[in-house]
Amino acid sequence: MVRRAVLPVAGLGTRFLPVTKSVPKELLPIVDKPAIQYIVEECVAAGIDDVLFVTSAGKSALEDHFDRSLALESALQEKGKLDDLAMVREVAGLADVHCIRQGEALGLGHAVRMGASHVGADESFAVILGDDLLAPGSGFLGRMIEAHHRTSRPVVALMEVPPDEVRRYGVAEVTATARPDEFEVTGVVEKPDPADAPSNLILVGRYVLPGSIFAVLDETPPGHGGEIQLTDALQTLADDEPLTGLLLDSPRYDTGDKLGYLKANLEVAATRDDLAPSLLPWLRSWLDEQEARAGSTGQDDPR
Ligand code: G1P
């Protein structure tokens, strides 16, 4: 059973300034729901009911979002807005939410290590990076947990990227298995130079890990960028036995990046019955207009 997830959310969100000066990036809405709520809902859909946020100063609004808000609830009740009331209560009841402060930004490995006392050494758990949004309802985390039980190995999510993009990610060295979407991961390296990268399969922000990783992280020295890297601890595990790599079958958006964030909004809006019927025709004609305008001024097609 994988019951707990550790969600590192201590980052400053500097790629998204100025809004992140006062709003945690995890609370930026994808349409009308904070990005982090999609992640918590993904956990719940995969059977996880206990979530640990590894936070930092200035992020208490994150905790508030998943807490009861009695003043709001009674205002909605008084106004007879019962659907909204149910929605607000549902967020607070989604999962058992816990928080711990990272204190110093010493790296993703250090952030995950903060979960040791909450998770314990004997339990497998999930790690989900808040910036990596999968299409809602993808069910991918559930498949990772299933692969973890089936292979009894740590499981990482993999995605193919153009070779020149590997320098932004952890990259896997893999061998094929009988399953076309599953690999044995024999090595991982954090943010390599494309010339040295073992493949163009990157680690996406989804991991199912054994509790024994905490002891490995204790012994993991600072790596890339002078930070304690989760990837380096995974390499230590892979030195003993390959990890399982599962190829992502869902669109993935980097919501910590402005372009990725805009795309994620469109992805979600395009699946919403209340928005898609008006948004999509508008988008089509807007693009046509842009194209016509670019044509008349001799500019490049904005597409
Ligand atoms: C982190 C991990 C990296 C992984 C990436 C996925 O990097 O260290 O291995 O590929 O997330 O988004 P970061 O984006 O925090 O630099």
Side-chain angles (χ1 to χ4, degrees):
M1 276 277 278
V2 175
R3 278 195 43 233
R4 297 183 211 268
V6 173
L7 274 47
V9 288
L12 292 174
T14 49
R15 288 188 294 166
F16 234 115
L17 282 167
V19 65
T20 44
K21 185 165 176 250
S22 53
V23 181
K25 66 175 171 175
E26 297 79 10
L27 287 183
L28 295 181
I30 309 294
V31 183
D32 51 7
K33 216 190 263 185
I36 193 71
Q37 191 179 328
Y38 291 92
I39 305 274
V40 172
E41 288 175 351
E42 183 186 348
C43 289
V44 172
I48 290 169
D49 57 11
D50 182 297
V51 165
L52 176 70
F53 289 139
V54 182
T55 68
S56 57
K59 295 253 172 164
S60 47
L62 252 164
E63 272 172 81
D64 293 346
H65 182 72
F66 292 96
D67 196 359
R68 296 286 298 272
S69 171
L70 298 183
L72 175 62
E73 286 179 30
S74 62
L76 292 171
Q77 180 98 54
E78 260 167 46
K79 290 183 177 153
K81 296 194 163 185
L82 300 185
D83 287 350
D84 288 339
L85 177 62
M87 185 217 295
V88 161
R89 284 195 174 142
E90 199 186 316
V91 180
L94 268 177
D96 239 343
V97 170
H98 307 266
C99 291
I100 191 165
R101 295 265 182 126
Q102 191 178 0
E104 277 180 283
L106 299 179
L108 177 59
H110 178 258
V112 172
R113 172 68 183 77
M114 298 297 301
S117 56
H118 186 72
V119 175
D122 302 323
E123 213 180 285
S124 295
F125 65 105
V127 172
I128 304 188
L129 305 190
D131 282 351
D132 282 323
L133 183 85
L134 307 189
S138 75
F140 188 72
L141 183 60
R143 288 186 45 222
M144 289 181 71
I145 293 173
E146 181 277 320
H148 174 67
H149 292 315
R150 181 166 41 76
T151 64
S152 304
R153 289 174 170 175
V155 180
V156 295
L158 300 176
M159 187 178 105
E160 210 173 322
V161 297
D164 57 320
E165 286 181 21
V166 294
R167 65 170 85 249
R168 291 166 32 201
Y169 300 100
V171 181
E173 182 178 322
V174 301
T175 54
T177 70
R179 293 172 179 251
D181 62 344
E182 203 169 295
F183 295 87
E184 287 204 331
V185 177
T186 51
V188 281
V189 48
E190 183 68 9
K191 303 194 173 83
D193 195 272
D196 305 326
S199 75
N200 62 338
L201 286 172
I202 61 144
L203 304 178
V204 186
R206 300 285 181 286
Y207 310 81
V208 179
L209 303 173
S212 58
I213 190 107
F214 295 123
V216 175
L217 283 165
D218 275 341
E219 303 294 319
T220 302
H224 183 88
E227 297 187 337
I228 297 171
Q229 297 291 349
L230 180 59
T231 304
D232 294 344
L234 292 172
Q235 177 62 61
T236 304
L237 295 183
D239 285 341
D240 278 344
E241 194 186 13
L243 319 174
T244 296
L246 209 59
L247 204 56
L248 192 62
D249 58 356
S250 143
R252 168 252 181 199
Y253 299 95
D254 178 0
T255 55
D257 165 77
K258 286 162 199 161
L259 186 59
Y261 174 78
L262 291 171
K263 289 179 182 172
N265 272 277
L266 283 177
E267 163 85 31
V268 170
T271 62
R272 290 259 304 242
D273 293 343
D274 57 335
L275 297 170
S278 324
L279 175 71
L280 297 181
W282 174 83
L283 199 55
R284 256 178 232 116
S285 69
W286 185 82
L287 285 170
D288 288 344
E289 236 172 71
Q290 297 298 308
E291 198 172 353
R293 209 178 289 170
S296 69
T297 57
Q299 287 170 9
D300 286 341
D301 181 345
R303 281 184 238 187

